[in-house]
Amino acid sequence: MPVFCSSCENRRAVLKRPKTGHSVCKECFFWAFEEEVHHTIVSARLFNRGETVGIGASGGKDSTVLAHVMKVLNERYDYGLNLLLLSVDEGITGYRDDSLETVKRNQQQYDLPLKIVSYEELYGWTMDAIVKQVGLKNNCTFCGVFRRQALDRGAMMLKVDKICTGHNADDVAETVLMNVLRGDIARLRRCTAISTASEGDGVIPRCKPLKYAYEKEIVLYAYFKKLDYFSTECIYSPNAYRGHARTFLKDLEAVRPSAIMDVVHSGEHLSVREDVRMPVQGTCARCGYISSQALCKACVLLEGLNRGLPRLGIGKHHRLHGKILAQEPLTEREERKLRAVDF
Ligand code: SF4
Ligand code: ZN
C-alpha cells in the first residue's frame, strides 16, 4: 500500500525525514527544509537588509545546498541581500582543482558573482607544497589556519559584510564532542554560536544558516533537487580525532536520531565557570590579524615553512615567537626541535 505524505496527505511519500521521522513527499520536504533554514535566519537575525553576504563555497554538498537555499529564500522572502560566492583554493591537485570547477558551474547556475582566493597568492605556498614539507600528520592545522584568514581576506577584497558557511548540525555536534574530549573550554564556549561578531579589524562576522540542518537531510535535499556538487574527500584528510567523534556520533544517531540535536543543545546550554581563563585577543605584530599571541598563528606557521622549521606553529613554542619577531637567531637545539616532523 502506498504511503501518503504526512504533510499534504495528497501525494505519495518518497522519503522519511531523518530529523523528524515523518514520511513526506518531495515538495513538502523541500518546503520544510527551506522553511526551517528561514526560521533559523529570522530568529537569530543573521542578516540585515542591504548587506553583502559572501557564501563560503567549496563545491561540496553543504555549501552548494547553502548557496541554493540562500538564493531561494532571498527571493522568496525578499531579504534584500547581495549574495556572492567566495572560494578558497588551497592548491590541492586532484581535489580542489576539481571541486572549484563545480563552484564555477554553480556560479553560472545560480548567477552569483564568484571570487577565488588562493593560498599560493596569499602565502606563497600551496597545500601540495606544504604537505611535501610537513608530511601528512599536521597538514590540516596549516590548512585550517590559512583558510580562516583567506576567507577573511577574500571577503575584505569584495567588501563583504558577512560570511556564511555551510556548517550543519552534525558538524557542530562533532565539534562540541571534540572540545569536550580535549577539555578545550574556550572553544567549547564558542563553538555552538550561530554567528560571531567581528572580533577586530579584518575579521568579518560569520554565521551558519544550516546549523540546525541534519547532514542526512542536506544530502537528500541535494539529491532530490539534483544539485551539482562535488563529493570526493580531500586527499590529505587524516583528521583522525574528528573522524572518531564523527563515527561515534553516527553510531548514536543510528540508535537515536535526535542525538545530533541533543548534543548541539547540550553544547548551547553549557555554562563555563567565570574563573576559566580565556585568551586575551590582541593583534598580530606582523600582519595585523587578530591574535592572542604576539604573532598570529598563520604568521608563525608561515615563518616555520619559510625557514624549513615546520614544527614552529605546532605545539607549544610561544617562547620562541619573541625571538622570531626580533629576528634573533635560534640555537641549534631549538632549530633541531622545530625541524623534526613525524611522517
Ligand atoms: Fe585542508 Fe585538511 Fe581539509 Fe584537506 S582535509 S582541505 S588538508 S583541512
Ligand atoms: Zn599575522
Side-chain angles (χ1 to χ4, degrees):
M1 218 178 64
V3 178
F4 283 91
C5 172
S6 64
S7 187
C8 65
E9 297 176 352
N10 189 3
R11 288 176 292 253
R12 277 191 184 191
V14 294
L15 69 118
K16 202 169 163 165
R17 281 195 69 183
K19 195 172 179 178
T20 59
H22 295 154
S23 299
V24 284
C25 70
K26 229 164 48 175
E27 286 72 15
C28 288
F29 170 63
F30 292 154
W31 184 261
F33 184 91
E34 290 157 6
E35 286 306 294
E36 285 170 17
V37 178
H38 172 60
H39 176 77
T40 304
I41 290 173
V42 173
S43 54
R45 297 196 192 154
L46 295 188
F47 309 110
N48 299 308
R49 173 167 286 279
E51 278 176 343
T52 297
V53 177
I55 303 169
S58 67
K61 60 177 181 356
D62 300 301
S63 61
T64 304
V65 167
L66 178 65
H68 178 85
V69 173
M70 283 297 293
K71 181 158 171 97
V72 166
L73 295 176
N74 193 34
E75 285 164 13
R76 183 183 298 161
Y77 292 104
D78 188 25
Y79 289 165
L81 301 176
N82 175 23
L83 301 176
L84 43 91
L85 301 172
L86 190 55
S87 291
V88 176
D89 180 0
E90 297 93 343
I92 303 175
T93 313
Y95 167 65
R96 187 55 86 214
D97 40 4
D98 293 340
S99 62
L100 283 175
E101 288 309 310
T102 312
V103 179
K104 287 178 195 158
R105 287 197 303 276
N106 291 160
Q107 167 190 21
Q108 305 290 322
Q109 290 150 357
Y110 304 151
D111 190 25
L112 296 174
L114 165 69
K115 167 88 186 163
I116 302 175
V117 283
S118 76
Y119 284 4
E120 182 151 44
E121 85 192 71
L122 291 178
Y123 308 111
W125 286 81
T126 61
M127 272 314 286
D128 287 339
I130 293 174
V131 168
K132 274 207 192 99
Q133 193 185 112
V134 311
L136 278 170
K137 207 168 161 199
N138 293 304
N139 55 307
C140 292
T141 304
F142 287 83
C143 197
V145 171
F146 287 169
R147 181 178 308 106
R148 194 181 149 78
Q149 271 200 25
L151 264 182
D152 275 328
R153 295 215 209 163
M156 298 255 284
M157 291 177 206
L158 294 173
K159 300 196 171 35
V160 157
D161 299 298
K162 269 171 199 156
I163 298 173
C164 62
T165 56
H167 291 98
N168 58 43
D170 298 53
D171 296 326
V172 177
E174 257 166 54
T175 310
V176 170
L177 286 179
M178 269 181 19
N179 288 332
V180 169
L181 296 173
R182 283 187 184 135
D184 192 333
I185 309 302
R187 285 214 174 83
L188 183 59
R189 179 190 265 182
R190 279 181 281 147
C191 73
T192 54
I194 188 157
S195 57
T196 56
S198 177
E199 297 161 71
D201 284 347
V203 184
I204 317 278
R206 294 192 180 203
C207 63
K208 306 174 186 142
L210 300 183
K211 183 188 164 192
Y212 297 110
Y214 276 34
E215 181 168 89
K216 282 186 173 168
E217 300 214 341
I218 290 174
V219 174
L220 286 170
Y221 187 91
Y223 171 79
F224 283 114
K225 281 270 181 195
K226 300 192 173 63
L227 300 186
D228 181 6
Y229 69 93
F230 183 80
S231 54
T232 308
E233 283 237 3
C234 171
I235 50 170
Y236 300 140
S237 162
N239 224 330
Y241 211 58
R242 183 172 282 275
H244 290 311
R246 203 178 161 73
T247 311
F248 176 54
L249 197 69
K250 290 280 173 218
D251 289 347
L252 292 177
E253 188 195 11
V255 191
R256 186 179 141 96
S258 69
I260 293 169
M261 208 52 90
D262 295 340
V263 173
V264 173
H265 284 149
S266 301
E268 285 174 338
H269 292 100
L270 281 176
S271 59
V272 175
R273 263 196 358 237
E274 284 305 318
D275 56 349
V276 170
R277 258 201 20 228
M278 294 302 206
V280 182
Q281 296 291 10
T283 48
C284 171
R286 187 166 288 175
C287 74
Y289 196 76
I290 47 150
S291 171
S292 52
Q293 308 292 330
L295 287 178
C296 76
K297 190 89 176 166
C299 282
V300 175
L301 289 170
L302 203 54
E303 178 81 21
L305 285 172
N306 291 336
R307 288 216 201 173
L309 304 171
R311 292 202 69 89
L312 191 59
I314 300 161
K316 304 256 176 256
H317 300 295
H318 293 155
R319 204 176 45 77
L320 300 178
H321 298 178
K323 271 188 146 178
I324 294 164
L325 205 55
Q327 298 193 322
E328 285 172 32
L330 303 177
T331 67
E332 215 174 287
R333 208 171 141 255
E334 286 167 342
E335 288 231 0
R336 226 181 3 226
K337 247 177 41 198
L338 297 178
R339 208 175 291 128
V341 202
D342 317 302
F343 279 97

